[in-house]
Amino acid sequence: MKSSNTALTAFIFTLLFLSLPAQSESATPQQQLAGLVREPLRLQVTLSNGQQAILDAFVTRPAGKTALPVALITQGSSGNAKFDRDVMNPNYLSSTALAFAQHGYAAVAVMREGYGDSSGAAEYSGGSCAQPHHALAGKRDTMDVLAALAAVRKQPWASADTAILAGMSAGGFAVLAAGAVNPPGVKAVINFAGGRGAIDGKRLCDEAGLLAAFSAFGNAAKVPSLWLYAANDNDFSPAMAQAFYTAYTAHHAPARFSALPAFGKNGHVVMDTAPSAFWWPPVGAFLKENGLPYREQIALPDSPLTAPVELNNAGGKKAFAAYQGARRYEKAFAIGEDGSWGAAYWARTADAAAAKALSNCNHHQAGQTGCRIYALGDEPVSSGG
C-alpha cells in the first residue's frame, strides 16, 4: 500500500462515534487459532492536542491475561481515499500481527485517523504533491500512534512499559515519527518500506522536504530502529531507501538497514503480503539484540485443507495452494462445479470474506449452479453450508 498525498475530505466526528465503547465485539466470530486470541477493538483516545478520536484496531495475542509486550502495528495508504476509508481495515495487517503474537507479543493493528472506521481525517488531508506537508503529517501520525499505545496499555493483557512500533510505507514513516519523541517504554521501531510521496518509483513529492523530515526524526531519536526495504520495491527504489536512511542516520541515530530480496511483483508489500518467514529473520535478530522476545512461542499447524476436486486448471490449483499457506485473515475460498474459483483475503469478518469470495467466483462462473464456499479461514465448509 503506497503512501498518498491525495486530499481527503475531512470525516465528521459524529456523536455516534463518540458514544462507541472502548472495545466492541464483532457480530461474526473471527478466525481463531490454537493458543491465540483474535478480537476487534475500538480505541477511544484523547490526542495530545486535546481532541477526542476513535481508532479502529484489532488485537492478536497469546491467550491469557498476562501482561504482554505490545507490538503496535500501523498501515500504509492505498493512494485512494475511498479505499482507505471504505475498504481498509485492521485485518490488512493480520499476517504481521500473527507473526508477532506467535513470538509472544500482544500485536495490535491500528488504523490511524482517516482510515477504516477510525474517526477524523487522514494525515494527507489538505495536502498535495506540490505541498505534501511531510513534517505536519509526521506530527499527526505521532499523535495517533502514541494515543493508541496509551489506550492499549490500559488493557489487562498489555505491558505498561514494554512496546515496539512497526509500520509499512506511510505507516513506516509514522512509526519513525512517533519513535523520534522517544516515548517511555518504547524499546524499538521497525520500519517496513517507510516513506511518503511516491509518484512512480522514480520521483517523490517534495523530496527535499521528505529528506528533511527523516533527518529531523533521526536527530531526535534514541530508540533503535530497523529499516527493511525489498530490492524490487516499486514505490521507493533502493536508491530512495538509502537516501531516507542516510538522512535519518546523519546525526548518528541508532538504526540498521536490512536489504530484503525481491518479493513478487512489488516488494513494497512485503510486510502485509509476504509470509513472515521472508522477513522475520532480520526482525528476530534485531529484537534479540535489543533484549526483546524473539523466539517463537506458539507454533501453528499447517492448513488441514485439501484441494477441491472441481479445480481443473493450473491457475485455480495455484490459487488454492496460495490460499492454504496464507495467514491473511479473514479469508475464504469459493468453488464452482465447472472449476471456477474465487478467493478473498483481509475481510473485516468471516461473513464479509465469504461474500467476497462468492462474488469473485460467480463473476467467472460459466455453469448454472453458481458457486459455494469451500473453505472459511483454514476450515473446510460442507457442501451444504
Side-chain angles (χ1 to χ4, degrees):
M1 288 173 281
K2 65 183 178 181
S3 59
S4 169
N5 297 289
T6 306
L8 178 68
T9 302
F11 179 77
I12 303 300
F13 188 50
T14 64
L15 292 177
L16 176 61
F17 259 102
L18 285 169
S19 68
L20 283 171
Q23 178 174 336
S24 64
E25 295 293 333
S26 170
T28 305
Q30 308 293 325
Q31 174 76 26
Q32 298 301 326
L33 301 161
L36 297 173
V37 174
R38 299 182 66 245
E39 57 188 4
L41 300 172
R42 291 290 186 270
L43 302 175
Q44 190 165 351
V45 304
T46 301
L47 304 176
S48 59
N49 62 2
Q51 298 274 330
Q52 300 292 308
I54 296 291
L55 299 179
D56 188 9
F58 195 102
V59 61
T60 305
R61 59 181 175 83
K65 296 296 184 182
T66 302
L68 299 161
V70 174
L72 193 76
I73 309 164
T74 194
Q75 86 294 337
S77 300
S78 71
N80 182 308
K82 181 175 176 57
F83 182 94
D84 287 343
R85 171 60 74 190
D86 296 343
V87 179
M88 190 86 76
N89 72 78
N91 282 349
Y92 273 76
L93 303 171
S94 56
S95 62
T96 313
L98 180 57
F100 279 100
Q102 287 183 265
H103 289 81
Y105 293 84
V108 182
V110 176
M111 302 280 102
R112 302 186 306 283
E113 289 184 281
Y115 298 86
D117 286 347
S118 293
S119 60
E123 77 284 349
Y124 54 74
S125 177
S128 65
C129 192
Q131 293 184 309
H133 305 305
H134 296 305
L136 177 60
K139 292 178 180 178
R140 296 170 72 175
D141 289 334
T142 297
M143 288 195 296
D144 285 353
V145 170
L146 297 188
L149 180 59
V152 168
R153 282 173 164 167
K154 295 177 182 178
Q155 299 290 334
W157 38 257
S159 168
D161 57 11
T162 304
I164 66 171
L165 307 177
M168 68 171 289
S169 193
F173 180 90
V175 296
L176 288 169
V181 304
N182 303 302
V186 172
K187 307 297 186 182
V189 173
I190 303 176
N191 160 32
F192 288 84
R196 298 186 77 245
I199 300 174
D200 55 9
K202 300 176 182 178
R203 298 172 296 160
L204 295 164
C205 298
D206 186 17
E207 180 176 358
L210 181 60
L211 293 176
F214 277 122
S215 179
F217 298 158
N219 187 38
K222 297 179 181 178
V223 178
S225 61
L226 176 67
W227 296 48
L228 301 124
Y229 292 78
N232 65 331
D233 190 315
N234 292 347
D235 292 78
F236 304 121
S237 68
M240 290 178 184
Q242 284 293 335
F244 300 163
Y245 181 73
T246 297
Y248 184 87
T249 56
H251 306 285
H252 307 291
R256 173 185 297 176
F257 191 96
S258 180
L260 297 175
F263 172 76
K265 295 181 179 179
N266 181 5
H268 190 65
V269 298
V270 159
M271 190 186 90
D272 64 1
T273 305
S276 60
F278 186 88
W279 52 261
W280 186 264
V283 169
F286 172 72
L287 296 172
K288 180 181 179 180
E289 290 172 5
N290 287 283
L292 292 159
Y294 69 96
R295 297 183 188 275
E296 183 179 84
Q297 299 180 17
I298 300 172
L300 299 179
D302 293 334
S303 170
L305 297 169
T306 57
V309 295
E310 295 92 338
L311 283 180
N312 53 21
N313 61 77
K317 292 177 181 179
K318 181 178 179 181
F320 187 76
Y323 180 88
Q324 286 178 296
R327 296 291 189 184
R328 292 179 278 157
Y329 305 110
E330 308 305 320
K331 66 177 186 176
F333 195 91
I335 185 71
E337 289 187 1
D338 65 349
S340 299
W341 58 272
Y345 300 97
W346 295 318
R348 189 178 286 275
T349 66
D351 282 353
K356 183 62 175 176
L358 282 172
S359 175
N360 290 340
C361 181
N362 284 322
H363 182 70
H364 299 287
Q365 172 65 228
Q368 301 300 314
T369 58
C371 296
R372 63 180 177 86
I373 294 297
Y374 179 79
L376 194 57
D378 297 315
E379 300 296 328
V381 174
S382 65
S383 59

